[in-house]
Amino acid sequence: MSSSFSLYIHIPWCWSKCPYCDFNAYAISTHQPDFEHYTLQLIADLKRSQRHAPFLTELTSIYLGGGTPSLMPPYLLEKLFNTIRELYYWHTQLEVTMEISPKTQASYLSDVMRLGVNRFSVGLQSFHPDVLKILGREHHAGESHAIIDSLIQVGSDNFNIDLIYGLAAQSPEMVVEDLRLGLSAPIEHLSWYELMLEPNTQFAKKPELKTDQDTLEQMEEEGMILIEESGFKHYEVSAYYKNRPSQHNSHYWKYGDYIGIGAGAHSKITLKPKQTLRLYKTRYPKDYLKSPKVLVDSIADEAIDYLMNRLRLFTPITFHEIESCLPNQAADHIIKWVNQLESDQLLIVNKESFLLTKRGQLLINDLLYQFQQWRQRIIKQV
Ligand code: SF4
């Protein structure tokens, strides 16, 4: 059993709530943050988590996500990092990522780099003022450019930018121009993702904001050509890297263990071979600040969860891997399902493994649906 794990730290506040966002994030104007108190709760949360899973000793990455973690004052981050260092070995190569707003100042970047942050992920989305406006972003196009200059200025050599496509207000040319500008910067990693109209967001009620299928496909086709020409490797549904993939996200996609601290954060802990404990924390920051609770997530469907994560990573999945990390029944279902499939446009099926085709990479949800349908039939027959 592995002792390695990654640590996720959730900071739930943002400058404002973007109308397309379904993350556990709250505008600072309406949900006054109390970073001092929140840091104390994060520390208590981390200590509790360590007691719950003392066998997880090998910290492989840290990720500060949100929300907008760059709203957190550096002196509080230092307190939190000190506690992490007391509890775990923080080796020199440890990947420590912080999501940042394009409004972040160079001095802030330097401060957190001194504390140990060595990778940034910028929620840039676009260089076009109109697109940023529709997305309800707080930053303006000038700041999309300025943050890249700041990252270069402070000597960050490992950063990601997020770019979005699929808005009706974007033409394929605008999407390609965003990519061209982003890829011409010394980025190490790109998250290029399609706008989704998530339920319970303001955008869910405005389907007209999404572009039509033909234009979407044109955006994808032209965008992919440019990304490949720029030497980036496509290794996950929306992720591309030059030399260094995200260790933290790869750990999730490989179905590794993780501890999540902060409002609404989830943990996955392997208690013994094939037995996983899933926990989540109180979702609302106000409640988390009052009395954070650790809740057991008992409804997780291991087979679906595994496929949802693992299919995202475009490497062969062996039966041995499935058997070694899933409970018997979940592993059995996946292997039996794969065995009755034949290689087609979506999958390449081998004797002891399977792999998504290029087309399959675009249609993961269809495959998951097929698996669910097949499994329901099998369960009914038993
Ligand atoms: S900045 Fe990011 S996390 Fe915050 S509301 Fe906007 S999309 Fe959501």
Side-chain angles (χ1 to χ4, degrees):
M1 213 167 66
S2 172
S3 59
S4 68
F5 74 103
S6 54
L7 176 64
Y8 175 77
I9 302 162
H10 191 74
I11 310 296
W13 294 283
C14 290
W15 292 101
S16 59
K17 178 79 179 182
C18 304
Y20 62 97
C21 172
D22 74 338
F23 294 147
N24 190 29
Y26 305 86
I28 48 174
S29 51
T30 49
H31 296 74
Q32 200 61 38
D34 182 345
F35 284 112
E36 292 263 356
H37 189 183
Y38 194 73
T39 305
L40 293 178
Q41 293 292 40
L42 285 175
I43 289 172
D45 194 348
L46 180 63
K47 288 184 172 168
R48 239 185 344 258
S49 302
Q50 200 265 347
R51 285 197 299 274
H52 279 144
F55 43 85
L56 292 180
T57 50
E58 195 193 328
L59 179 58
T60 56
S61 62
I62 299 176
Y63 194 100
L64 289 132
T68 304
S70 53
L71 288 171
M72 185 139 164
Y75 79 95
L76 292 175
L77 199 63
E78 187 172 12
K79 267 192 188 174
L80 178 60
F81 281 7
N82 285 345
T83 307
I84 299 172
R85 286 187 165 97
E86 279 164 24
L87 297 175
Y88 300 104
Y89 177 57
W90 182 307
H91 62 83
T92 49
Q93 300 301 312
L94 188 72
E95 181 190 90
V96 185
T97 305
M98 179 185 240
E99 288 181 353
I100 58 169
S101 151
K103 298 174 85 65
T104 311
Q105 301 297 310
S107 57
Y108 183 91
L109 300 175
S110 302
D111 286 347
V112 297
M113 282 170 80
R114 266 195 294 277
L115 299 177
V117 174
N118 53 20
R119 184 173 183 273
F120 293 99
S121 180
V122 194
L124 212 115
Q125 316 310 342
S126 176
F127 294 93
H128 284 91
D130 295 349
V131 174
L132 292 174
K133 200 164 167 210
I134 292 168
L135 291 172
R137 301 292 303 193
E138 272 293 311
H139 70 281
H140 54 74
E143 286 165 327
S144 291
H145 292 280
I147 188 65
I148 292 178
D149 292 342
S150 298
L151 285 160
I152 297 167
Q153 184 196 324
V154 300
S156 170
D157 66 348
N158 190 6
F159 63 90
N160 164 73
I161 58 169
D162 291 347
L163 289 176
I164 197 166
Y165 69 93
L167 280 81
Q170 288 173 302
S171 63
E173 291 73 29
M174 287 164 73
V175 168
V176 168
E177 196 193 346
D178 271 344
L179 280 172
R180 201 181 299 285
L181 285 166
L183 292 165
S184 65
I187 61 170
E188 190 55 51
H189 195 280
L190 169 72
S191 297
W192 185 53
Y193 68 99
E194 179 190 338
L195 170 73
M196 291 292 169
L197 304 179
E198 302 289 356
N200 304 320
T201 63
Q202 291 180 38
F203 270 26
K205 298 177 204 117
K206 298 180 181 170
E208 69 279 6
L209 289 173
K210 182 100 192 230
T211 196
D212 60 86
Q213 190 59 29
D214 285 350
T215 314
L216 191 73
E217 283 173 18
Q218 195 185 338
M219 288 172 176
E220 281 169 349
E221 205 173 303
E222 293 178 15
M224 285 300 294
I225 293 171
L226 184 59
I227 295 171
E228 274 174 22
E229 280 174 1
S230 306
F232 278 72
K233 295 165 203 77
H234 190 190
Y235 73 114
E236 187 267 346
V237 179
S238 326
Y240 308 79
Y241 71 94
K242 204 190 275 172
N243 299 304
R244 284 172 282 186
S246 159
Q247 286 176 30
H248 186 85
N249 289 339
S250 299
H251 187 79
Y252 286 153
W253 299 323
K254 285 180 193 154
Y255 217 54
D257 281 355
Y258 52 88
I259 287 176
I261 59 169
H266 286 246
S267 302
K268 170 180 170 279
I269 300 165
T270 304
L271 294 176
K272 54 185 182 179
K274 297 171 177 279
Q275 191 188 335
T276 305
L277 174 69
R278 285 159 189 282
L279 304 168
Y280 62 99
K281 312 291 166 62
T282 313
R283 180 177 169 84
Y284 295 106
K286 217 167 58 180
D287 299 336
Y288 182 85
L289 284 168
K290 241 189 269 160
S291 103
K293 286 196 181 68
V294 185
L295 302 151
V296 176
D297 182 357
S298 52
I299 56 165
D301 182 328
E302 290 286 343
I304 292 291
D305 200 51
Y306 174 82
L307 286 174
M308 270 172 68
N309 278 285
R310 192 55 185 81
L311 286 176
R312 294 184 73 98
L313 204 58
F314 304 153
T315 52
I317 304 176
T318 64
F319 294 167
H320 174 71
E321 175 191 322
I322 296 170
E323 282 167 337
S324 59
C325 61
L326 285 181
N328 290 345
Q329 195 187 45
D332 198 43
H333 281 162
I334 296 177
I335 293 170
K336 278 194 176 134
W337 172 64
V338 175
N339 273 332
Q340 52 87 49
L341 294 171
E342 285 180 6
S343 295
D344 61 6
Q345 289 180 326
L346 306 186
L347 284 178
I348 298 166
V349 183
N350 295 314
K351 205 161 165 259
E352 290 294 326
S353 67
F354 65 107
L355 176 69
L356 291 180
T357 62
K358 281 263 179 225
R359 182 152 177 75
Q361 291 171 4
L362 300 172
L363 296 169
I364 291 175
N365 286 342
D366 290 19
L367 279 167
L368 286 172
Y369 180 73
Q370 279 182 30
F371 170 69
Q372 276 171 307
Q373 297 294 98
W374 176 86
R375 190 174 55 170
Q376 271 172 14
R377 275 203 308 279
I378 291 297
I379 290 171
K380 265 191 207 149
Q381 284 166 14
V382 173

